[in-house]
Amino acid sequence: MRFLRAHEEKLLNDVKGFLDVREGKTLYEIALEASKRGPCLEIGSYCGKSTIYIGTACRENNGILFSIDHHRGSEEQQPGEEYFDPELFDNEACRADTFKEFRNTVEMAELEDTVVPMVCRSEVAARLWTTPLSLVFIDGGHSYEAAYTDYNSWAGHIIPHGYLLIHDIFKDPEKGGQAPYHIYKMAIASGLFRELPMIQTLGVLRRYACGNIPYNLSKQ
Ligand code: MG
């Protein structure tokens, strides 16, 4: 990819995460356009792989990426679950802790003047949020409740022509959980977003130009 310097490419290979290179490149390209018109925000930073793609694009425009994660791992990353990683478990606290890795990634990628880490649950960060956003990337918890909370808390802050990106969309239930696809369909049904071509499991929606920004979609 044209934007990657050698050390960034190596870093992307080393950083733990579940983002495919094509999906990452799409995040970068969309963020490069979007971040000219306002800050970007991601939910579910984990160890910072998507943060490198979106953050590098924001940096080119002197923009900002807000990056939200409680860094205690999602449901499927807890001990005994499918995606548990003992390397990301804080034995002293007896809890998962991805913040150390995330912080290291941001530093290595030279994104400390671009990325604003927000270490909390997404609905807490959203409670008094009023800043319009040019791009929201949802890649947080995969339960229906978590996905719906992320969608409901943030999609309404997206500016006209801004982007809503949702990771891990599987139209076939045999291939993966349905919560991200569920909120993807909700976003289309809201009438606020236009569907653009999906890149692997990355759903790409663009907000229509019309209408005010409703902060909380359930209160429309
Ligand atoms: Mg994901």
Side-chain angles (χ1 to χ4, degrees):
M1 273 174 280
R2 67 186 160 90
F3 74 94
L4 287 178
R5 292 171 290 180
H7 84 277
E8 284 166 345
E9 200 150 358
K10 182 178 181 313
L11 187 60
L12 277 167
N13 284 333
D14 292 348
V15 172
K16 291 174 190 278
F18 309 95
L19 194 69
D20 176 86
V21 173
R22 269 190 70 207
E23 295 171 338
K25 190 181 173 189
T26 304
L27 286 180
Y28 170 80
E29 282 167 356
I30 293 175
L32 194 59
E33 184 208 320
S35 60
K36 289 176 187 156
R37 292 182 289 119
C40 300
L41 182 141
E42 68 172 351
I43 303 139
S45 357
Y46 194 51
C47 297
K49 202 185 265 283
S50 57
T51 313
I52 299 177
Y53 287 106
I54 303 172
T56 305
C58 289
R59 186 177 60 198
E60 290 199 25
N61 293 318
N62 207 18
I64 285 286
L65 166 61
F66 296 102
S67 186
I68 302 174
D69 198 313
H70 47 63
H71 288 288
R72 292 303 191 189
S74 59
E75 307 87 344
E76 66 268 42
Q77 290 158 355
Q78 302 308 315
E81 301 297 326
E82 190 180 358
Y83 292 99
F84 174 65
D85 183 342
E87 285 178 14
L88 298 172
F89 194 75
D90 179 343
N91 286 312
E92 253 172 56
C94 226
R95 301 181 77 177
D97 182 3
T98 54
F99 186 53
K100 236 185 253 177
E101 283 288 317
F102 174 77
R103 202 171 186 180
N104 187 44
T105 301
V106 169
E107 188 182 348
M108 299 287 282
E110 298 171 27
L111 290 171
E112 287 172 305
D113 294 335
T114 303
V115 174
V116 180
M118 299 168 80
V119 186
C120 60
R121 287 179 291 113
S122 98
E123 68 267 33
V124 177
R127 201 176 291 159
L128 294 177
W129 190 271
T130 56
T131 303
L133 298 165
S134 65
L135 179 160
V136 169
F137 175 46
I138 298 181
D139 191 21
H142 286 32
S143 67
Y144 278 92
E145 192 187 351
Y148 176 72
T149 300
D150 291 341
Y151 167 73
N152 194 44
S153 300
W154 295 103
H157 291 284
I158 298 168
I159 58 173
H161 297 299
Y163 291 90
L164 174 60
L165 307 171
I166 303 172
H167 195 224
D168 300 311
I169 292 182
F170 297 100
K171 292 186 176 176
D172 178 357
E174 299 278 303
K175 294 192 174 150
Q178 293 294 289
Y181 185 41
H182 181 69
I183 58 165
Y184 177 82
K185 286 188 288 188
M186 281 178 71
I188 295 166
S190 75
L192 290 169
F193 296 95
R194 178 163 57 96
E195 205 175 2
L196 296 178
M198 197 173 289
I199 305 297
Q200 286 168 260
T201 71
L202 180 68
V204 181
L205 300 171
R206 189 160 200 197
R207 197 181 184 292
Y208 285 114
C210 53
N212 292 324
I213 306 175
Y215 287 155
N216 189 326
L217 292 178
S218 67
K219 290 179 186 160
Q220 279 182 91

